[in-house]
Amino acid sequence: MKKMNHGSQIFASILVNAVYAMINYPIVLISTLLAPFAFLIVISFVSHGALLPIAIGGALIMTMISAGTSLQGDLSHLKNDFKLQDMIVSSPTSARMYLIGMAISEIVYALPALLVLAILAGLYINTSILGYASIMAVMSIMFIFSISLGFFLSTLTSDVIQSWAFTGIISTILSALPPVYYPISYIPQQFQFIAYISPATYAAQIVQNATGYVTFSNSTLLIDWIVIIAVAAAMTVIAVKKSKWRED
Amino acid sequence: MGYLKCIKITKEYEKASKALRSVSFKVPSEGIFALIGRNGAGKTTLVRILATQLLPTSGSANLAGMDVVKDAKDLRGMIACVPQEARAIGWLTPRQFILSYLLWRGMDYSEAKRKTEDATKMLGIDQHLDTANRLLSGGTKRKVLVASVIASGAKILFLDEPTTGLDPISRSDLWRILSKLKRTHFIFLTTHYLEEAERLADKIGILDEGKLLALGTLEELRATVKYPYIIKILSDRKMLKPREGTVVKGVDGYYQIATKEKDAYEISKELIKEGVKFSMNPLSLDDIFYYIAKKPIEAENYEKDESW
């Protein structure tokens, strides 16, 4: 049997889900560029620029989380409206290669926004190399978490309406609840526990600590790291084991 | 190439009734095998099981010497499938869609590019290579999907109702392509256009309510029917009774005599003598399907029909 070119398999996902979408519809580029800046701009204006570093860190996290939300929507669309998943299942492509390719495609899709945010981070976030490394690590972990969640949910959907419902729930839990663009102290204390439902809150605390704007105790940071690594690992295992690639 | 062998395949969905009920058959995995049946007969469920997309509740199937459940990973290198209701992604061009599909299958970029052009040329859609799929006609969009699976090099193709919704010319175009393709591929085709199966298939299976009712070549299926000739009286005039046979009321409202060859000949002679307009034909696949599935026709014994 002919050897599989895994590079080709990953490249196919990047082409379909990012490159061709951008080439065929350039408006996509503007949309993806603007998405993380809406909140960043509002928070910066409201705080008279004081929260800009935190908001930039938040936008970086949210860009990674949005990748999972987008992936869930994109894959559900391709699966339910075009029956692409069935075509791919009946081919030598494995669920793993499809997921890796689609995950990278979401990064490629988000590249314009990430590039601008990276420049802003370089300009406005004063931190050490370790601080930047922490931010990068948190971004990577949140990316793995959200991509796994998005892939898992997409394989369960049978209709795009169902997919929209999942998107709404994920967005609320991962984007609206957590204080990503501002410190958790801005939320009244009696409601702060709600924010801790979302793993994004733990990720935000690490990034906010790295920016130097808010200082958390070492024990809090340790818990934050444990939580985000644990949920990302658990979600990856669920995505690999429980996703409905071949239906039963 | 071997055989496609299904042994007691049953599929139960969670809430619905059984989609497949102990389906067993064996056909050579060459040429075209057409599975016909009404909507909801279980055709798509069987295709999805054989194309390794869906697990059966029980039973097993073997294709080209491989078990569709246990050896799915190896089998997937040899098969390609155009699912029912599949559409070429609207925001891509045929070139982009086919190329990506081939890359997904693990083909090198240069080979995929060449095969994309070859397949579209073969299907006569190369002039649309760089037009967005959403702007193409329904027939061309279907051909894009068929081109994808042809270009893949897979020798076993599953085409689930590939011509549904196509106009007669596009359908005929696709039939021409499939006729050529069956010389080198095994094509598992589902359709509810019985004419399609009649024209293309080497073997035909009739599936109804999850059960395989009949299997064979068109001639073999015809031979299973007791009365292989149909005389259709094209007027409301009383018709002659056959010595042996049945009188049936067709879906078009005309009465028909189903009888044996000799009786058919005698009756037709009488009808010509009386100047009655009629048609006489050996059973088509439509008639055989109605006969076997026994649903759209009310069969009645002529002796019991007092109006005659």
Side-chain angles (χ1 to χ4, degrees), chain B residues 183-194:
Chain B
R183 293 177 208 149
T184 49
H185 292 70
F186 171 50
I187 302 172
F188 190 111
L189 176 87
T190 74
T191 181
H192 43 221
Y193 295 122
L194 305 188

Side-chain angles (χ1 to χ4, degrees), chain A residues 172-242:
Chain A
T172 304
I173 294 174
L174 298 180
S175 312
L177 284 182
V180 173
Y181 291 92
Y182 51 87
I184 194 161
S185 56
Y186 281 45
I187 299 176
Q189 203 159 13
Q190 66 269 35
F191 296 116
Q192 284 183 8
F193 74 94
I194 299 172
Y196 285 110
I197 293 170
S198 172
T201 301
Y202 303 89
Q205 287 189 165
I206 298 169
V207 171
Q208 288 168 9
N209 188 75
T211 61
Y213 191 88
V214 190
T215 306
F216 291 97
S217 68
N218 284 342
S219 58
T220 303
L221 289 172
L222 182 67
I223 291 168
D224 291 340
W225 280 109
I226 290 170
V227 169
I228 64 168
I229 290 170
V231 293
M235 203 59 243
T236 307
V237 171
I238 291 170
V240 171
K241 301 272 182 200
K242 299 287 178 190

Side-chain angles (χ1 to χ4, degrees), chain A residues 56-68 107 110-111 113-115 117-118 121 125 131-147 180 199-200 202-204 206-207 210 225 228-229 232:
Chain A
I56 293 168
L60 283 167
I61 296 173
M62 287 318 300
T63 304
M64 294 290 105
I65 289 175
S66 300
I107 288 282
L111 268 181
L114 283 173
L115 196 67
L117 286 172
I125 296 177
Y132 282 121
S134 297
I135 294 171
M136 294 282 283
V138 169
M139 286 170 65
S140 304
I141 292 166
M142 292 315 288
F143 177 70
I144 291 167
F145 164 73
S146 70
I147 286 290
V180 173
Y202 303 89
I206 298 169
V207 171
W225 280 109
I228 64 168
I229 290 170

Side-chain angles (χ1 to χ4, degrees), chain B residues 208-228:
Chain B
D208 195 50
E209 294 179 348
K211 288 182 192 159
L212 189 72
L213 301 181
L215 176 78
T217 61
L218 184 60
E219 284 315 308
E220 285 165 350
L221 291 178
R222 203 170 265 152
T224 63
V225 180
K226 198 174 172 189
Y227 305 117

Side-chain angles (χ1 to χ4, degrees), chain B residues 44-65:
Chain B
T44 296
T45 300
L46 186 56
V47 165
R48 296 193 71 220
I49 288 171
L50 297 177
T52 74
Q53 297 162 13
L54 184 69
L55 290 168
T57 307
S58 63
S60 65
N62 199 285
L63 182 53

